[in-house]
Amino acid sequence: MSLVKAIPEDLHLVKYEITQMMESDLNDVVSLEESTGLSRWGYESYRQELFNNPSSIMRTARGITPISVYRKVLGFVASRVIFDELHINNVATDPTFRRIRIGTTLMESVIKESRIYGARRCLLEVRANNVSAQILYKKMGFEMIGRRRDYYTMPTEDALVMQFLY
Ligand SMILES: CC(C)(COP(=O)(O)OP(=O)(O)OC[C@H]1O[C@@H](n2cnc3c(N)ncnc32)[C@H](O)[C@@H]1OP(=O)(O)O)[C@@H](O)C(=O)NCCC(=O)NCCS
């Protein structure tokens, strides 16, 4: 399945909900991953995480209205709880549907759920030149706590380590 192609007349009329990621979402999730420059996980890794990792928290933002986006995957987040930490592995919003809080709402959703599992902080890595994601995280209350040199490949780039204390 391909990414959502329909462009709503007014983005602010788009309504969406945060739902559990399903196996049937994975083709859309992988398409989003590939088109947004994220580190590649691929179908099988998401599937493994979904079914074989009881501490994973995987969510999609699914369109409600208008009809052109109904049930479509507009964004996703893949995260997992390790001891008292929530690790964000990947988060992305379909480029057509950015700046309507989908990324923020996905992040808030997994942070809220991770508290139930005992998480006390959220950790993530972000490319040093990914300013838009960094603005989002800082707006949510994340702070930079470290830098991993040449952490990313293709292209090689440092990672900033960011943390949000609950
Ligand atoms: C980062 C990303 C997930 C943000 O998704 P989104 O749904 O557009 O985010 P939101 O609408 O919740 O944005 C919240 C705030 O973050 C900031 N922000 C988000 N994108 C921004 C941009 N391109 N430029 C400047 N600020 C931006 C803004 O302050 C925004 O609030 P505002 O729209 O009221 O000004 C999306 O740009 C994306 O998928 N990027 C590619 C994948 C990626 O980089 N993932 C992160 C890996 S660590």
Side-chain angles (χ1 to χ4, degrees), residues 3-166:
L3 293 181
V4 179
K5 291 286 185 282
I7 301 173
E9 285 168 14
D10 186 343
L11 209 47
H12 295 282
L13 293 179
V14 173
K15 292 197 171 23
Y16 56 87
E17 61 181 345
I18 306 300
T19 57
Q20 169 64 44
M21 191 185 290
M22 311 288 281
E23 187 172 13
S24 54
D25 296 331
L26 292 184
N27 283 326
D28 288 341
V29 166
V30 171
S31 295
L32 253 181
E33 177 192 81
E34 290 174 353
S35 64
T36 52
L38 290 173
S39 303
R40 296 289 175 92
W41 265 37
Y43 188 100
E44 202 43 46
S45 299
Y46 285 108
R47 195 177 175 284
Q48 288 290 329
E49 190 74 359
L50 205 50
F51 290 110
N52 297 331
N53 186 347
S55 65
S56 69
I57 307 179
M58 318 273 278
R59 297 286 180 268
T60 50
R62 202 179 289 281
I64 301 173
T65 57
I67 193 69
S68 56
V69 303
Y70 184 67
R71 306 306 291 163
K72 304 285 189 187
V73 173
L74 309 183
F76 77 94
V77 58
S79 65
R80 74 170 67 130
V81 177
I82 303 173
F83 299 107
D84 62 348
E85 296 171 351
L86 175 69
H87 291 250
I88 305 295
N89 290 317
N90 266 336
V91 55
T93 300
D94 184 315
T96 305
F97 298 93
R98 290 190 181 161
R99 308 298 290 268
I100 54 169
R101 289 186 52 85
I102 290 176
T104 303
T105 310
L106 283 163
M107 291 286 295
E108 287 174 348
S109 161
V110 293
I111 286 171
K112 185 176 176 190
E113 179 148 356
S114 72
R115 290 173 187 263
I116 298 166
Y117 298 104
R120 291 292 169 264
R121 66 173 179 155
C122 179
L123 279 173
L124 57 82
E125 282 107 11
V126 56
R127 280 185 180 269
N129 78 355
N130 190 347
V131 176
S132 50
Q134 289 167 36
I135 294 173
L136 184 160
Y137 299 140
K138 282 181 188 154
K139 212 168 173 178
M140 290 187 66
F142 281 78
E143 56 178 359
M144 184 182 148
I145 57 164
R147 190 177 188 106
R148 299 193 207 284
R149 187 122 346 249
D150 295 341
Y151 179 82
Y152 292 105
T153 56
M154 292 188 297
T156 301
E157 193 176 340
D158 292 357
L160 306 186
V161 184
M162 300 187 78
Q163 144 178 286
F164 172 63
L165 292 174
Y166 299 1

